[in-house]
């Protein structure tokens, strides 16, 4: 069974930081690209960042410079460090695994998804 579980979301003030975690079980994370996506009410799901099994990263333009993706294969976990958070970053954040290992931000390329973690940026 392939399973992804997100954690680390919560309430943070504008300008603050959060670190999200995506823990994998049932498969070897180092064989997959892992992506982070988000969806806010009334908005389309959008790609945030992804990382290939070889450590190549990709970021959406609006997140570049504020967010950093990384992976720890020994812990079977991928992280998303989120800095300088804005109210418009408020969304449910999902991680997903891509067996093709392309490192794309196209959501339909991903095979397995977590259930999401809520991030709320508000004073």
């Amino acid at each position: 069974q392939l399973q992804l579980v997100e954690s680390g979301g919560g309430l943070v003030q504008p300008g603050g930081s959060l670190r999200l975690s995506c823990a994998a079980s049932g498969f070897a994370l180092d064989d997959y690209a892992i992506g982070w996506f988000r969806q806010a009410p009334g908005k389309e799901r959008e790609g945030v960042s992804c990382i290939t099994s070889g450590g190549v990263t990709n970021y959406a333009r609006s997140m570049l410079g504020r967010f950093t993706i990384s992976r720890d294969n020994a812990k079977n976990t991928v992280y998303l460090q989120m800095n300088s958070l804005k109210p418009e970053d408020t969304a449910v954040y999902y991680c997903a695994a891509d067996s093709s290992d392309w490192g794309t931000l196209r959501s339909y390329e991903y095979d397995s998804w977590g259930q999401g973690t809520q991030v709320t940026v508000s004073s």
Side-chain angles (χ1 to χ4, degrees):
Q1 180 180 349
L2 280 65
Q3 185 176 6
L4 298 170
V5 179
E6 303 93 338
S7 62
L11 176 65
V12 64
Q13 294 184 348
S17 298
L18 285 173
R19 187 195 193 202
L20 305 184
S21 298
C22 175
S25 63
F27 64 100
L29 182 146
D30 60 3
D31 292 332
Y32 293 77
I34 302 296
W36 284 98
F37 300 82
R38 70 185 186 185
Q39 188 165 25
K43 301 284 188 177
E44 292 185 337
R45 182 172 54 190
E46 64 174 333
V48 174
S49 184
C50 60
I51 185 167
T52 71
S53 65
V56 178
T57 60
N58 192 19
Y59 297 90
R61 183 178 58 196
S62 63
M63 271 66 83
L64 187 64
R66 297 192 298 125
F67 294 3
T68 303
I69 192 170
S70 62
R71 66 193 304 154
D72 187 338
N73 290 336
K75 296 182 178 179
N76 223 27
T77 300
V78 170
Y79 304 96
L80 183 68
Q81 179 67 45
M82 308 166 64
N83 299 325
S84 301
L85 285 164
K86 307 172 182 179
E88 52 263 43
D89 294 319
T90 296
V92 177
Y93 284 71
Y94 301 88
C95 67
D98 172 22
S99 61
S100 71
D101 199 22
W102 290 358
T104 181
L105 292 178
R106 296 178 178 180
S107 61
Y108 61 80
E109 297 287 353
Y110 287 78
D111 308 304
S112 302
W113 291 79
Q115 294 301 306
T117 184
Q118 177 70 49
V119 172
T120 302
V121 184
S122 176
S123 59

